[in-house]
Amino acid sequence: MASALSEPSRAAILSLFRSLLRTARQFSDYNIREYSKRRTIDGFRQNRELSDLSLVSSAFSDGKSQLEVARRQVWYHMALLDVNHFQVVEFRA
Amino acid sequence: MAMKLFTSKLRQTYTRTSSELRTLSTAAAATAPVEGFDETEGGISMKGVKISGRPLYLDMQATSPVDPRVLDAMLPFYISRFGNPHSRTHLYGWESDHAVETSRSQVAALINASPKEIVFTSGATESNNISVKGLMHFYKDKKRHIITTQTEHKCVLDSCRHLQQEGFEVTYLPVRPDGIIDLDGFRSAIRPDTGLVSVMMVNNEIGVIQPMEEIGRICRELNIPFHTDAAQALGKIRVDVEKMNVSLMSLSGHKIYGPKGVGALYIRRRPRIRVEPQMNGGGQERGIRSGTVPTPLVVGMGAACELAMKEMEYDGKRITALKERLLNGIRSNLDGVVVNGSIDCRYDGNLNLSFAYVEGESLLMGLKEVAVSSGSACTSASLEPSYVLRALGVEEDMAHTSIRFGIGRFTTEAEIDRAIELTVQQVEKLREMSPLYEMVKEGIDIKNIQWAQH
């Protein structure tokens, strides 16, 4: 628990950001993939101004648990991939 | 510890192989296609409709996709934590019970209620039935009159009709052309034996928001129980049972990115509201709704409510921007587009539009790459124009051409742009074929035409 309370380093935060984005890109579902990417970027942008130590570390641990959720869900998405999972919007891109 | 290491290793290996598979070939990792669903060369064919991919989904009022965070919370309860939450004698029961109670608090927090006031049901339809029929049956000796509106959901209207057959009297309040009830008309409809007022918070077809606080104030003054169907409002607009003085409220799981088959009923404790149960049995949920509580679904609903609370502001801003984009995109390319329902008092994720001089069914069939509906899913099988639009006084021809665009958490800008493009294209195509549109362009007022008798 002690590690959660100490301020995460800049490198650790950036690494979490990159891991979240990398995981988000693996979602097979178009809408969920786009949402995960967007939400990650917006979430980090929104928390950029945080200076309070406890707020920073709580946001950091929140992000870490979101990463765990995303990793598990990417896994299910792959395992249960539908043949016709491509959305019409994806074809044009 | 060894087990943990093993599983994490297994997970790593699995993830690696499946991602490799995916880059090589999608079909290899895919499950079998759904029955009645033919995979054709580079597309999908079902019911004679051939499309290049899955249609973009703009029907969030019918149902919403399950959020992966919600599914993540639910899955353990489909695997090892399968206990019956009412089992008091072992760990399986205790852990399920604990999860159900956590969900109850999550649902209660979103509507500013106490967890003791939440009863889990199978959905908003059941909650509405318990509220309308259950309450009137309980107080049947003294109260014989119900007030509701003409634009309610079918399940409230049908429950009222059922009560009418039993001898109760029902007033169906008309709505103004903007879809909102007239408060003076409402006040004058109240009688000494009025036992229930039922007005939905956000309309499922046109998205207008009724003046809940004002209605609640009138009900509190006259001490009449106030029921509201908030299935379309929960998690989208601020819902506060204290501010709105709601006595009973129906909630649904699958409209807020939760699972289907679960809902909740808020039932006030102070002053106490009592209902006659619709289902008798083991006395679960304080005897109001007997039957084993479905733990995974309830956990999903709780998770969805907690998420909705966190994401309401973020989602709201986005949905408003997307709605503006959609409306401006369609309006700048087409004339004769009317927004059904109030412009100011509406939930932005629901945009109900009517396109003049176009035949509605042809338009919907032409928009096969966009999953939209003309109104509620319950009545989408019939060709009759929506009773909600008729209650607004929308002309028959305009009511026939309505399309409801539902925007949600997972909608993207690209989808909106594609929807605009396809809608504009389709409407223009249909208008080009339409002799009516030609006549209007020539300046003939089609309302004054004397059509030959038939």
mmCIF file of all heavy atoms in Angstrom, chain A residues 30-31 35 38-39 42 66 69 72-73 75-76 81 83-84 86-89 91-92, chain B residues 14 30-31 37 39 52-54 68-69 72 75 311 314 318 409-410 412 415 418 421:
data_model
loop_
_atom_site.group_PDB
_atom_site.id
_atom_site.type_symbol
_atom_site.label_atom_id
_atom_site.label_comp_id
_atom_site.label_asym_id
_atom_site.label_seq_id
_atom_site.Cartn_x
_atom_site.Cartn_y
_atom_site.Cartn_z
ATOM 1 N N TYR A 30 -14.609 -1.823 -33.003
ATOM 2 C CA TYR A 30 -14.269 -0.458 -33.420
ATOM 3 C C TYR A 30 -14.635 0.581 -32.369
ATOM 4 O O TYR A 30 -13.810 1.410 -31.982
ATOM 5 C CB TYR A 30 -14.976 -0.152 -34.749
ATOM 6 C CG TYR A 30 -15.064 1.316 -35.090
ATOM 7 C CD1 TYR A 30 -13.960 1.988 -35.598
ATOM 8 C CD2 TYR A 30 -16.246 2.031 -34.894
ATOM 9 C CE1 TYR A 30 -14.024 3.333 -35.907
ATOM 10 C CE2 TYR A 30 -16.326 3.374 -35.196
ATOM 11 C CZ TYR A 30 -15.217 4.027 -35.694
ATOM 12 O OH TYR A 30 -15.296 5.353 -35.989
ATOM 13 N N ASN A 31 -15.892 0.531 -31.888
ATOM 14 C CA ASN A 31 -16.357 1.572 -30.975
ATOM 15 C C ASN A 31 -15.609 1.556 -29.651
ATOM 16 O O ASN A 31 -15.263 2.599 -29.107
ATOM 17 C CB ASN A 31 -17.857 1.418 -30.727
ATOM 18 C CG ASN A 31 -18.651 1.730 -31.956
ATOM 19 O OD1 ASN A 31 -18.875 0.866 -32.782
ATOM 20 N ND2 ASN A 31 -19.055 2.968 -32.110
ATOM 21 N N TYR A 35 -13.133 4.434 -28.247
ATOM 22 C CA TYR A 35 -13.458 5.026 -26.938
ATOM 23 C C TYR A 35 -12.282 4.904 -25.986
ATOM 24 O O TYR A 35 -11.921 5.873 -25.314
ATOM 25 C CB TYR A 35 -14.694 4.348 -26.338
ATOM 26 C CG TYR A 35 -14.991 4.818 -24.928
ATOM 27 C CD1 TYR A 35 -15.626 6.036 -24.701
ATOM 28 C CD2 TYR A 35 -14.606 4.073 -23.824
ATOM 29 C CE1 TYR A 35 -15.880 6.491 -23.425
ATOM 30 C CE2 TYR A 35 -14.853 4.524 -22.539
ATOM 31 C CZ TYR A 35 -15.494 5.734 -22.342
ATOM 32 O OH TYR A 35 -15.728 6.184 -21.075
ATOM 33 N N ARG A 38 -9.569 7.370 -26.855
ATOM 34 C CA ARG A 38 -10.000 8.744 -26.589
ATOM 35 C C ARG A 38 -10.058 9.029 -25.089
ATOM 36 O O ARG A 38 -9.565 10.037 -24.607
ATOM 37 C CB ARG A 38 -11.385 8.921 -27.208
ATOM 38 C CG ARG A 38 -11.969 10.279 -27.131
ATOM 39 C CD ARG A 38 -13.216 10.342 -27.992
ATOM 40 N NE ARG A 38 -14.300 9.521 -27.481
ATOM 41 C CZ ARG A 38 -14.927 8.588 -28.186
ATOM 42 N NH1 ARG A 38 -14.578 8.332 -29.418
ATOM 43 N NH2 ARG A 38 -15.919 7.886 -27.651
ATOM 44 N N ARG A 39 -10.606 8.052 -24.350
ATOM 45 C CA ARG A 39 -10.780 8.252 -22.914
ATOM 46 C C ARG A 39 -9.426 8.315 -22.206
ATOM 47 O O ARG A 39 -9.260 9.066 -21.240
ATOM 48 C CB ARG A 39 -11.642 7.128 -22.324
ATOM 49 C CG ARG A 39 -12.126 7.392 -20.913
ATOM 50 C CD ARG A 39 -13.185 8.465 -20.919
ATOM 51 N NE ARG A 39 -13.530 8.954 -19.588
ATOM 52 C CZ ARG A 39 -12.878 9.936 -18.975
ATOM 53 N NH1 ARG A 39 -11.829 10.505 -19.540
ATOM 54 N NH2 ARG A 39 -13.269 10.353 -17.783
ATOM 55 N N ASP A 42 -7.919 11.810 -23.096
ATOM 56 C CA ASP A 42 -8.642 12.881 -22.406
ATOM 57 C C ASP A 42 -8.434 12.813 -20.898
ATOM 58 O O ASP A 42 -8.340 13.839 -20.235
ATOM 59 C CB ASP A 42 -10.145 12.799 -22.730
ATOM 60 C CG ASP A 42 -10.431 13.195 -24.173
ATOM 61 O OD1 ASP A 42 -9.524 13.769 -24.800
ATOM 62 O OD2 ASP A 42 -11.541 12.920 -24.659
ATOM 63 N N GLN A 66 -7.439 0.429 -14.306
ATOM 64 C CA GLN A 66 -8.089 0.465 -15.620
ATOM 65 C C GLN A 66 -7.290 -0.332 -16.652
ATOM 66 O O GLN A 66 -7.857 -0.984 -17.515
ATOM 67 C CB GLN A 66 -8.222 1.915 -16.106
ATOM 68 C CG GLN A 66 -9.230 2.733 -15.327
ATOM 69 C CD GLN A 66 -10.616 2.153 -15.395
ATOM 70 O OE1 GLN A 66 -11.151 1.878 -16.450
ATOM 71 N NE2 GLN A 66 -11.212 1.910 -14.226
ATOM 72 N N VAL A 69 -8.115 -3.954 -16.208
ATOM 73 C CA VAL A 69 -9.441 -4.237 -16.783
ATOM 74 C C VAL A 69 -9.320 -4.332 -18.302
ATOM 75 O O VAL A 69 -9.784 -5.296 -18.913
ATOM 76 C CB VAL A 69 -10.461 -3.137 -16.398
ATOM 77 C CG1 VAL A 69 -11.777 -3.333 -17.134
ATOM 78 C CG2 VAL A 69 -10.699 -3.120 -14.907
ATOM 79 N N ARG A 72 -7.607 -7.546 -19.535
ATOM 80 C CA ARG A 72 -8.490 -8.722 -19.457
ATOM 81 C C ARG A 72 -9.532 -8.685 -20.561
ATOM 82 O O ARG A 72 -9.817 -9.675 -21.219
ATOM 83 C CB ARG A 72 -9.209 -8.733 -18.106
ATOM 84 C CG ARG A 72 -8.406 -9.296 -16.971
ATOM 85 C CD ARG A 72 -9.315 -9.623 -15.801
ATOM 86 N NE ARG A 72 -9.946 -8.448 -15.216
ATOM 87 C CZ ARG A 72 -9.400 -7.731 -14.236
ATOM 88 N NH1 ARG A 72 -8.234 -8.066 -13.725
ATOM 89 N NH2 ARG A 72 -10.020 -6.680 -13.746
ATOM 90 N N GLN A 73 -10.107 -7.498 -20.781
ATOM 91 C CA GLN A 73 -11.190 -7.384 -21.754
ATOM 92 C C GLN A 73 -10.702 -7.567 -23.193
ATOM 93 O O GLN A 73 -11.413 -8.152 -24.008
ATOM 94 C CB GLN A 73 -11.909 -6.044 -21.592
ATOM 95 C CG GLN A 73 -12.736 -5.969 -20.319
ATOM 96 C CD GLN A 73 -13.807 -7.030 -20.255
ATOM 97 O OE1 GLN A 73 -14.552 -7.243 -21.200
ATOM 98 N NE2 GLN A 73 -13.873 -7.746 -19.135
ATOM 99 N N TRP A 75 -8.483 -9.489 -24.034
ATOM 100 C CA TRP A 75 -8.348 -10.927 -24.096
ATOM 101 C C TRP A 75 -9.679 -11.600 -24.453
ATOM 102 O O TRP A 75 -9.761 -12.431 -25.351
ATOM 103 C CB TRP A 75 -7.867 -11.360 -22.708
ATOM 104 C CG TRP A 75 -7.124 -12.633 -22.650
ATOM 105 C CD1 TRP A 75 -6.229 -13.118 -23.558
ATOM 106 C CD2 TRP A 75 -7.214 -13.595 -21.602
ATOM 107 N NE1 TRP A 75 -5.737 -14.309 -23.126
ATOM 108 C CE2 TRP A 75 -6.322 -14.632 -21.931
ATOM 109 C CE3 TRP A 75 -7.942 -13.677 -20.419
ATOM 110 C CZ2 TRP A 75 -6.160 -15.747 -21.119
ATOM 111 C CZ3 TRP A 75 -7.769 -14.774 -19.612
ATOM 112 C CH2 TRP A 75 -6.885 -15.801 -19.960
ATOM 113 N N TYR A 76 -10.739 -11.222 -23.770
ATOM 114 C CA TYR A 76 -12.059 -11.793 -24.063
ATOM 115 C C TYR A 76 -12.505 -11.431 -25.466
ATOM 116 O O TYR A 76 -13.057 -12.247 -26.186
ATOM 117 C CB TYR A 76 -13.117 -11.281 -23.067
ATOM 118 C CG TYR A 76 -12.955 -11.815 -21.683
ATOM 119 C CD1 TYR A 76 -12.796 -10.976 -20.600
ATOM 120 C CD2 TYR A 76 -12.977 -13.187 -21.455
ATOM 121 C CE1 TYR A 76 -12.654 -11.464 -19.323
ATOM 122 C CE2 TYR A 76 -12.830 -13.680 -20.178
ATOM 123 C CZ TYR A 76 -12.660 -12.821 -19.111
ATOM 124 O OH TYR A 76 -12.517 -13.312 -17.869
ATOM 125 N N LEU A 81 -13.993 -13.388 -30.780
ATOM 126 C CA LEU A 81 -14.081 -12.533 -31.952
ATOM 127 C C LEU A 81 -15.124 -13.046 -32.947
ATOM 128 O O LEU A 81 -15.128 -14.215 -33.304
ATOM 129 C CB LEU A 81 -12.710 -12.479 -32.628
ATOM 130 C CG LEU A 81 -12.509 -11.390 -33.642
ATOM 131 C CD1 LEU A 81 -12.543 -10.037 -32.935
ATOM 132 C CD2 LEU A 81 -11.169 -11.566 -34.321
ATOM 133 N N VAL A 83 -16.858 -13.259 -36.656
ATOM 134 C CA VAL A 83 -16.367 -13.183 -38.033
ATOM 135 C C VAL A 83 -16.664 -11.806 -38.625
ATOM 136 O O VAL A 83 -15.838 -11.189 -39.276
ATOM 137 C CB VAL A 83 -17.059 -14.260 -38.912
ATOM 138 C CG1 VAL A 83 -16.588 -14.151 -40.351
ATOM 139 C CG2 VAL A 83 -16.808 -15.631 -38.368
ATOM 140 N N ASN A 84 -17.871 -11.336 -38.349
ATOM 141 C CA ASN A 84 -18.296 -10.072 -38.944
ATOM 142 C C ASN A 84 -18.185 -8.932 -37.949
ATOM 143 O O ASN A 84 -19.146 -8.241 -37.689
ATOM 144 C CB ASN A 84 -19.750 -10.207 -39.408
ATOM 145 C CG ASN A 84 -19.905 -11.328 -40.387
ATOM 146 O OD1 ASN A 84 -19.194 -11.384 -41.366
ATOM 147 N ND2 ASN A 84 -20.819 -12.231 -40.106
ATOM 148 N N PHE A 86 -16.262 -6.279 -38.187
ATOM 149 C CA PHE A 86 -15.880 -4.978 -38.743
ATOM 150 C C PHE A 86 -17.102 -4.095 -38.942
ATOM 151 O O PHE A 86 -18.142 -4.540 -39.400
ATOM 152 C CB PHE A 86 -15.145 -5.151 -40.073
ATOM 153 C CG PHE A 86 -13.774 -5.707 -39.896
ATOM 154 C CD1 PHE A 86 -13.466 -6.982 -40.321
ATOM 155 C CD2 PHE A 86 -12.793 -4.955 -39.253
ATOM 156 C CE1 PHE A 86 -12.196 -7.508 -40.138
ATOM 157 C CE2 PHE A 86 -11.521 -5.467 -39.064
ATOM 158 C CZ PHE A 86 -11.220 -6.749 -39.504
ATOM 159 N N GLN A 87 -16.930 -2.849 -38.601
ATOM 160 C CA GLN A 87 -18.011 -1.896 -38.708
ATOM 161 C C GLN A 87 -17.891 -1.151 -40.025
ATOM 162 O O GLN A 87 -16.785 -0.973 -40.524
ATOM 163 C CB GLN A 87 -17.870 -0.930 -37.530
ATOM 164 C CG GLN A 87 -19.145 -0.691 -36.807
ATOM 165 C CD GLN A 87 -19.433 0.781 -36.804
ATOM 166 O OE1 GLN A 87 -19.231 1.427 -37.811
ATOM 167 N NE2 GLN A 87 -19.890 1.278 -35.692
ATOM 168 N N VAL A 88 -19.014 -0.695 -40.573
ATOM 169 C CA VAL A 88 -18.972 -0.045 -41.888
ATOM 170 C C VAL A 88 -18.005 1.132 -41.940
ATOM 171 O O VAL A 88 -17.349 1.356 -42.953
ATOM 172 C CB VAL A 88 -20.376 0.402 -42.383
ATOM 173 C CG1 VAL A 88 -21.153 -0.768 -42.887
ATOM 174 C CG2 VAL A 88 -21.122 1.139 -41.321
ATOM 175 N N VAL A 89 -17.892 1.855 -40.830
ATOM 176 C CA VAL A 89 -17.020 3.032 -40.813
ATOM 177 C C VAL A 89 -15.554 2.634 -41.009
ATOM 178 O O VAL A 89 -14.781 3.357 -41.614
ATOM 179 C CB VAL A 89 -17.208 3.799 -39.488
ATOM 180 C CG1 VAL A 89 -16.212 4.928 -39.374
ATOM 181 C CG2 VAL A 89 -18.612 4.355 -39.408
ATOM 182 N N PHE A 91 -14.253 0.479 -42.955
ATOM 183 C CA PHE A 91 -13.853 0.154 -44.323
ATOM 184 C C PHE A 91 -13.314 1.348 -45.077
ATOM 185 O O PHE A 91 -12.464 1.227 -45.923
ATOM 186 C CB PHE A 91 -15.024 -0.461 -45.093
ATOM 187 C CG PHE A 91 -15.258 -1.864 -44.689
ATOM 188 C CD1 PHE A 91 -16.227 -2.174 -43.763
ATOM 189 C CD2 PHE A 91 -14.462 -2.877 -45.188
ATOM 190 C CE1 PHE A 91 -16.416 -3.474 -43.356
ATOM 191 C CE2 PHE A 91 -14.650 -4.179 -44.779
ATOM 192 C CZ PHE A 91 -15.627 -4.474 -43.857
ATOM 193 N N ARG A 92 -13.848 2.501 -44.756
ATOM 194 C CA ARG A 92 -13.415 3.660 -45.490
ATOM 195 C C ARG A 92 -12.046 4.158 -44.997
ATOM 196 O O ARG A 92 -11.276 4.693 -45.762
ATOM 197 C CB ARG A 92 -14.461 4.749 -45.354
ATOM 198 C CG ARG A 92 -14.172 5.718 -46.416
ATOM 199 C CD ARG A 92 -15.212 6.402 -47.171
ATOM 200 N NE ARG A 92 -16.386 5.809 -47.614
ATOM 201 C CZ ARG A 92 -17.449 6.579 -47.824
ATOM 202 N NH1 ARG A 92 -17.430 7.834 -47.526
ATOM 203 N NH2 ARG A 92 -18.526 6.057 -48.332
ATOM 204 N N TYR B 14 -0.823 -16.735 -23.978
ATOM 205 C CA TYR B 14 -2.072 -16.722 -24.730
ATOM 206 C C TYR B 14 -2.231 -15.406 -25.473
ATOM 207 O O TYR B 14 -2.557 -15.370 -26.643
ATOM 208 C CB TYR B 14 -3.264 -16.951 -23.795
ATOM 209 C CG TYR B 14 -4.542 -17.076 -24.561
ATOM 210 C CD1 TYR B 14 -4.879 -18.297 -25.147
ATOM 211 C CD2 TYR B 14 -5.369 -15.984 -24.761
ATOM 212 C CE1 TYR B 14 -6.038 -18.411 -25.895
ATOM 213 C CE2 TYR B 14 -6.519 -16.093 -25.501
ATOM 214 C CZ TYR B 14 -6.856 -17.311 -26.063
ATOM 215 O OH TYR B 14 -8.000 -17.417 -26.796
ATOM 216 N N ALA B 30 -11.533 -16.403 -35.133
ATOM 217 C CA ALA B 30 -12.951 -16.070 -35.048
ATOM 218 C C ALA B 30 -13.812 -17.247 -34.624
ATOM 219 O O ALA B 30 -13.472 -18.397 -34.839
ATOM 220 C CB ALA B 30 -13.431 -15.570 -36.398
ATOM 221 N N THR B 31 -14.928 -16.925 -34.014
ATOM 222 C CA THR B 31 -15.894 -17.949 -33.648
ATOM 223 C C THR B 31 -16.788 -18.214 -34.850
ATOM 224 O O THR B 31 -16.762 -17.491 -35.832
ATOM 225 C CB THR B 31 -16.760 -17.483 -32.468
ATOM 226 O OG1 THR B 31 -17.225 -16.175 -32.767
ATOM 227 C CG2 THR B 31 -15.967 -17.456 -31.190
ATOM 228 N N PHE B 37 -27.029 -15.986 -40.924
ATOM 229 C CA PHE B 37 -26.143 -14.851 -41.108
ATOM 230 C C PHE B 37 -25.113 -15.301 -42.110
ATOM 231 O O PHE B 37 -24.226 -16.084 -41.797
ATOM 232 C CB PHE B 37 -25.490 -14.630 -39.737
ATOM 233 C CG PHE B 37 -25.122 -13.218 -39.451
ATOM 234 C CD1 PHE B 37 -26.090 -12.314 -39.075
ATOM 235 C CD2 PHE B 37 -23.807 -12.814 -39.523
ATOM 236 C CE1 PHE B 37 -25.740 -11.017 -38.769
ATOM 237 C CE2 PHE B 37 -23.460 -11.517 -39.227
ATOM 238 C CZ PHE B 37 -24.428 -10.619 -38.841
ATOM 239 N N GLU B 39 -21.989 -15.115 -44.485
ATOM 240 C CA GLU B 39 -20.811 -14.319 -44.743
ATOM 241 C C GLU B 39 -20.560 -14.368 -46.239
ATOM 242 O O GLU B 39 -20.291 -15.422 -46.796
ATOM 243 C CB GLU B 39 -19.628 -14.901 -43.977
ATOM 244 C CG GLU B 39 -18.540 -13.904 -43.775
ATOM 245 C CD GLU B 39 -17.232 -14.585 -43.491
ATOM 246 O OE1 GLU B 39 -17.203 -15.805 -43.322
ATOM 247 O OE2 GLU B 39 -16.222 -13.883 -43.457
ATOM 248 N N SER B 52 -21.535 -3.986 -46.207
ATOM 249 C CA SER B 52 -20.097 -4.253 -46.202
ATOM 250 C C SER B 52 -19.583 -4.599 -44.808
ATOM 251 O O SER B 52 -18.582 -5.285 -44.673
ATOM 252 C CB SER B 52 -19.361 -3.047 -46.762
ATOM 253 O OG SER B 52 -19.751 -1.892 -46.062
ATOM 254 N N GLY B 53 -20.226 -4.153 -43.770
ATOM 255 C CA GLY B 53 -19.784 -4.460 -42.417
ATOM 256 C C GLY B 53 -20.941 -4.296 -41.457
ATOM 257 O O GLY B 53 -22.083 -4.148 -41.881
ATOM 258 N N ARG B 54 -20.643 -4.326 -40.175
ATOM 259 C CA ARG B 54 -21.721 -4.123 -39.203
ATOM 260 C C ARG B 54 -22.204 -2.688 -39.308
ATOM 261 O O ARG B 54 -21.391 -1.773 -39.406
ATOM 262 C CB ARG B 54 -21.227 -4.387 -37.783
ATOM 263 C CG ARG B 54 -20.776 -5.814 -37.554
ATOM 264 C CD ARG B 54 -20.445 -6.054 -36.112
ATOM 265 N NE ARG B 54 -21.666 -6.139 -35.311
ATOM 266 C CZ ARG B 54 -22.418 -7.227 -35.238
ATOM 267 N NH1 ARG B 54 -22.067 -8.317 -35.872
ATOM 268 N NH2 ARG B 54 -23.496 -7.239 -34.509
ATOM 269 N N PRO B 68 -17.069 -2.486 -21.441
ATOM 270 C CA PRO B 68 -16.133 -3.533 -21.015
ATOM 271 C C PRO B 68 -15.839 -3.497 -19.515
ATOM 272 O O PRO B 68 -15.603 -4.545 -18.906
ATOM 273 C CB PRO B 68 -14.867 -3.258 -21.820
ATOM 274 C CG PRO B 68 -15.112 -2.079 -22.640
ATOM 275 C CD PRO B 68 -16.539 -1.679 -22.542
ATOM 276 N N ARG B 69 -15.891 -2.325 -18.896
ATOM 277 C CA ARG B 69 -15.656 -2.235 -17.450
ATOM 278 C C ARG B 69 -16.790 -2.882 -16.674
ATOM 279 O O ARG B 69 -16.584 -3.440 -15.592
ATOM 280 C CB ARG B 69 -15.500 -0.756 -17.048
ATOM 281 C CG ARG B 69 -14.224 -0.139 -17.581
ATOM 282 C CD ARG B 69 -14.247 1.364 -17.531
ATOM 283 N NE ARG B 69 -15.120 1.926 -18.571
ATOM 284 C CZ ARG B 69 -15.213 3.213 -18.863
ATOM 285 N NH1 ARG B 69 -14.507 4.093 -18.187
ATOM 286 N NH2 ARG B 69 -16.004 3.626 -19.819
ATOM 287 N N ASP B 72 -16.391 -6.636 -17.072
ATOM 288 C CA ASP B 72 -15.281 -7.076 -16.233
ATOM 289 C C ASP B 72 -15.728 -7.298 -14.785
ATOM 290 O O ASP B 72 -15.260 -8.213 -14.119
ATOM 291 C CB ASP B 72 -14.167 -6.031 -16.284
ATOM 292 C CG ASP B 72 -12.867 -6.575 -15.735
ATOM 293 O OD1 ASP B 72 -12.285 -7.443 -16.406
ATOM 294 O OD2 ASP B 72 -12.453 -6.155 -14.637
ATOM 295 N N LEU B 75 -18.131 -10.743 -14.833
ATOM 296 C CA LEU B 75 -17.640 -12.080 -15.178
ATOM 297 C C LEU B 75 -17.282 -12.990 -13.997
ATOM 298 O O LEU B 75 -17.613 -14.176 -14.037
ATOM 299 C CB LEU B 75 -16.472 -11.981 -16.168
ATOM 300 C CG LEU B 75 -16.933 -11.670 -17.591
ATOM 301 C CD1 LEU B 75 -15.760 -11.312 -18.471
ATOM 302 C CD2 LEU B 75 -17.700 -12.834 -18.194
ATOM 303 N N GLU B 311 -18.719 9.198 -15.268
ATOM 304 C CA GLU B 311 -18.568 9.599 -16.665
ATOM 305 C C GLU B 311 -19.648 10.549 -17.156
ATOM 306 O O GLU B 311 -19.623 10.942 -18.315
ATOM 307 C CB GLU B 311 -18.547 8.356 -17.566
ATOM 308 C CG GLU B 311 -17.461 7.351 -17.235
ATOM 309 C CD GLU B 311 -16.082 7.797 -17.708
ATOM 310 O OE1 GLU B 311 -16.003 8.610 -18.636
ATOM 311 O OE2 GLU B 311 -15.092 7.357 -17.111
ATOM 312 N N TYR B 314 -18.331 13.903 -18.639
ATOM 313 C CA TYR B 314 -17.518 13.667 -19.840
ATOM 314 C C TYR B 314 -18.395 13.234 -21.015
ATOM 315 O O TYR B 314 -18.325 13.790 -22.110
ATOM 316 C CB TYR B 314 -16.464 12.607 -19.525
ATOM 317 C CG TYR B 314 -15.579 12.240 -20.689
ATOM 318 C CD1 TYR B 314 -14.498 13.020 -21.033
ATOM 319 C CD2 TYR B 314 -15.850 11.103 -21.452
ATOM 320 C CE1 TYR B 314 -13.683 12.687 -22.104
ATOM 321 C CE2 TYR B 314 -15.043 10.760 -22.522
ATOM 322 C CZ TYR B 314 -13.956 11.553 -22.847
ATOM 323 O OH TYR B 314 -13.172 11.214 -23.903
ATOM 324 N N ARG B 318 -19.586 15.360 -24.659
ATOM 325 C CA ARG B 318 -19.312 14.731 -25.943
ATOM 326 C C ARG B 318 -20.585 14.508 -26.750
ATOM 327 O O ARG B 318 -20.644 14.803 -27.937
ATOM 328 C CB ARG B 318 -18.651 13.383 -25.660
ATOM 329 C CG ARG B 318 -17.578 13.073 -26.621
ATOM 330 C CD ARG B 318 -17.051 11.712 -26.448
ATOM 331 N NE ARG B 318 -17.215 11.016 -27.713
ATOM 332 C CZ ARG B 318 -16.568 11.347 -28.807
ATOM 333 N NH1 ARG B 318 -15.698 12.319 -28.810
ATOM 334 N NH2 ARG B 318 -16.780 10.689 -29.931
ATOM 335 N N ARG B 409 -22.163 6.810 -25.454
ATOM 336 C CA ARG B 409 -20.782 6.879 -24.992
ATOM 337 C C ARG B 409 -19.779 6.448 -26.053
ATOM 338 O O ARG B 409 -18.702 7.003 -26.162
ATOM 339 C CB ARG B 409 -20.661 5.965 -23.761
ATOM 340 C CG ARG B 409 -19.315 6.007 -23.092
ATOM 341 C CD ARG B 409 -19.296 5.061 -21.896
ATOM 342 N NE ARG B 409 -20.030 5.638 -20.769
ATOM 343 C CZ ARG B 409 -20.395 4.926 -19.693
ATOM 344 N NH1 ARG B 409 -20.135 3.640 -19.621
ATOM 345 N NH2 ARG B 409 -21.033 5.513 -18.705
ATOM 346 N N PHE B 410 -20.147 5.456 -26.854
ATOM 347 C CA PHE B 410 -19.181 4.888 -27.799
ATOM 348 C C PHE B 410 -19.324 5.418 -29.227
ATOM 349 O O PHE B 410 -18.677 4.917 -30.131
ATOM 350 C CB PHE B 410 -19.295 3.359 -27.797
ATOM 351 C CG PHE B 410 -19.042 2.752 -26.446
ATOM 352 C CD1 PHE B 410 -20.068 2.222 -25.701
ATOM 353 C CD2 PHE B 410 -17.758 2.733 -25.922
ATOM 354 C CE1 PHE B 410 -19.832 1.673 -24.447
ATOM 355 C CE2 PHE B 410 -17.509 2.186 -24.673
ATOM 356 C CZ PHE B 410 -18.554 1.662 -23.940
ATOM 357 N N THR B 412 -18.709 7.704 -32.392
ATOM 358 C CA THR B 412 -17.542 8.490 -32.812
ATOM 359 C C THR B 412 -17.947 9.563 -33.823
ATOM 360 O O THR B 412 -19.029 9.498 -34.412
ATOM 361 C CB THR B 412 -16.487 7.584 -33.482
ATOM 362 O OG1 THR B 412 -17.043 7.073 -34.693
ATOM 363 C CG2 THR B 412 -16.081 6.437 -32.592
ATOM 364 N N GLU B 415 -18.585 8.148 -37.237
ATOM 365 C CA GLU B 415 -19.910 7.541 -37.401
ATOM 366 C C GLU B 415 -20.961 8.597 -37.698
ATOM 367 O O GLU B 415 -21.845 8.402 -38.539
ATOM 368 C CB GLU B 415 -20.300 6.780 -36.130
ATOM 369 C CG GLU B 415 -19.587 5.468 -35.979
ATOM 370 C CD GLU B 415 -20.009 4.753 -34.719
ATOM 371 O OE1 GLU B 415 -19.870 5.312 -33.624
ATOM 372 O OE2 GLU B 415 -20.484 3.612 -34.812
ATOM 373 N N ARG B 418 -20.596 9.786 -41.218
ATOM 374 C CA ARG B 418 -21.112 8.790 -42.153
ATOM 375 C C ARG B 418 -22.635 8.774 -42.147
ATOM 376 O O ARG B 418 -23.271 8.666 -43.195
ATOM 377 C CB ARG B 418 -20.555 7.412 -41.755
ATOM 378 C CG ARG B 418 -20.781 6.320 -42.761
ATOM 379 C CD ARG B 418 -19.975 6.551 -44.024
ATOM 380 N NE ARG B 418 -20.126 5.460 -44.960
ATOM 381 C CZ ARG B 418 -19.355 4.378 -44.972
ATOM 382 N NH1 ARG B 418 -18.371 4.264 -44.109
ATOM 383 N NH2 ARG B 418 -19.541 3.426 -45.852
ATOM 384 N N GLU B 421 -23.878 11.726 -44.123
ATOM 385 C CA GLU B 421 -23.679 11.495 -45.551
ATOM 386 C C GLU B 421 -24.756 10.558 -46.104
ATOM 387 O O GLU B 421 -25.401 10.846 -47.108
ATOM 388 C CB GLU B 421 -22.286 10.875 -45.704
ATOM 389 C CG GLU B 421 -21.798 10.764 -47.120
ATOM 390 C CD GLU B 421 -20.596 9.838 -47.198
ATOM 391 O OE1 GLU B 421 -19.705 9.939 -46.311
ATOM 392 O OE2 GLU B 421 -20.552 9.002 -48.105
#
